[in-house]
Amino acid sequence: MTSIAGIKMERSLFYLSCRRSIWGISNEILAFFDGDYNCIYSSFHRLMDKLYDEYKDEQQGFWCNRDILLTCVRDMTIVFDAATKDIVGFYVIRELDDDGPDIIDFFQSFQPGQGIGRKMVEHECMRRSLCVLEPMPESIGFWEALGVPLKRDDN
């Protein structure tokens, strides 16, 4: 008999890139959000609610950075479980004009240990070179396992 403990269910994820969607909503996005033309704003609102609930329950998380998140919403990607339409993560990647890697400013998977974070990073690494500035100490092993370079911000 084979145990299924430890097997991670591969799920299909839907990525809403606010930068690419702000100038026009594609048919794919409209279909996913049941025709909601305000899906970027409603998704961001749902994300803020989720961050607040996490902070309220655990007294930690990105809620303390909400003002910063508001200023970088154009660089944000909100990630959904394609089957349930629940928000499972988000990230903010600052695109640089030079030839260096783009910077991951914020990154969170709301379901750790399920392989969602790995899928989010792999999704972006297929498109561009990335690095992480000043990662949280508990996340260093995650970034190293995925081969994402870690850099110190010396400014």
Side-chain angles (χ1 to χ4, degrees):
M1 183 167 144
T2 305
S3 169
I4 61 169
I7 294 176
K8 295 177 185 171
M9 186 174 115
E10 286 294 322
R11 20 175 110 150
S12 180
L13 302 178
F14 183 87
Y15 297 84
L16 176 64
S17 170
C18 297
R19 173 177 295 276
R20 287 188 284 280
S21 303
I22 205 154
W23 300 113
I25 306 296
S26 71
N27 289 335
E28 177 188 21
I29 293 172
L30 279 176
F32 184 80
F33 291 103
D34 300 321
D36 178 10
Y37 279 93
N38 291 316
C39 61
I40 294 170
Y41 306 105
S42 58
S43 296
F44 184 74
H45 188 272
R46 284 177 55 200
L47 175 62
M48 291 294 105
D49 286 347
K50 192 168 189 76
L51 292 175
Y52 179 71
D53 289 344
E54 178 184 63
Y55 172 76
K56 201 170 51 173
D57 294 343
E58 302 172 21
Q59 297 296 304
Q60 62 182 5
F62 284 115
W63 179 249
C64 61
N65 295 318
R66 64 190 173 279
D67 292 336
I68 297 169
L69 289 174
L70 281 169
T71 65
C72 56
V73 70
R74 288 181 55 128
D75 297 323
M76 183 178 292
T77 298
I78 303 172
V79 184
F80 298 83
D81 182 311
T84 65
K85 298 187 181 179
D86 291 335
I87 295 176
V88 294
F90 79 99
Y91 51 88
V92 175
I93 297 178
R94 188 170 9 128
E95 296 181 2
L96 302 179
D97 292 331
D98 62 8
D99 290 335
D102 293 335
I103 307 295
I104 299 171
D105 283 326
F106 293 96
F107 181 90
Q108 182 170 7
S109 168
F110 291 108
Q111 298 171 354
Q114 300 297 310
I116 293 170
R118 175 189 49 79
K119 285 180 80 169
M120 292 182 340
V121 172
E122 288 171 351
H123 173 79
E124 284 300 322
C125 284
M126 290 186 313
R127 300 180 34 231
R128 56 178 144 189
S129 174
L130 298 173
C131 74
V132 179
L133 286 178
E134 303 291 337
M136 294 171 44
E138 60 271 16
S139 72
I140 291 174
F142 171 79
W143 296 114
E144 288 175 343
L146 291 171
V148 176
L150 308 176
K151 301 203 183 233
R152 242 186 120 65
D153 188 9
D154 296 323
N155 294 333

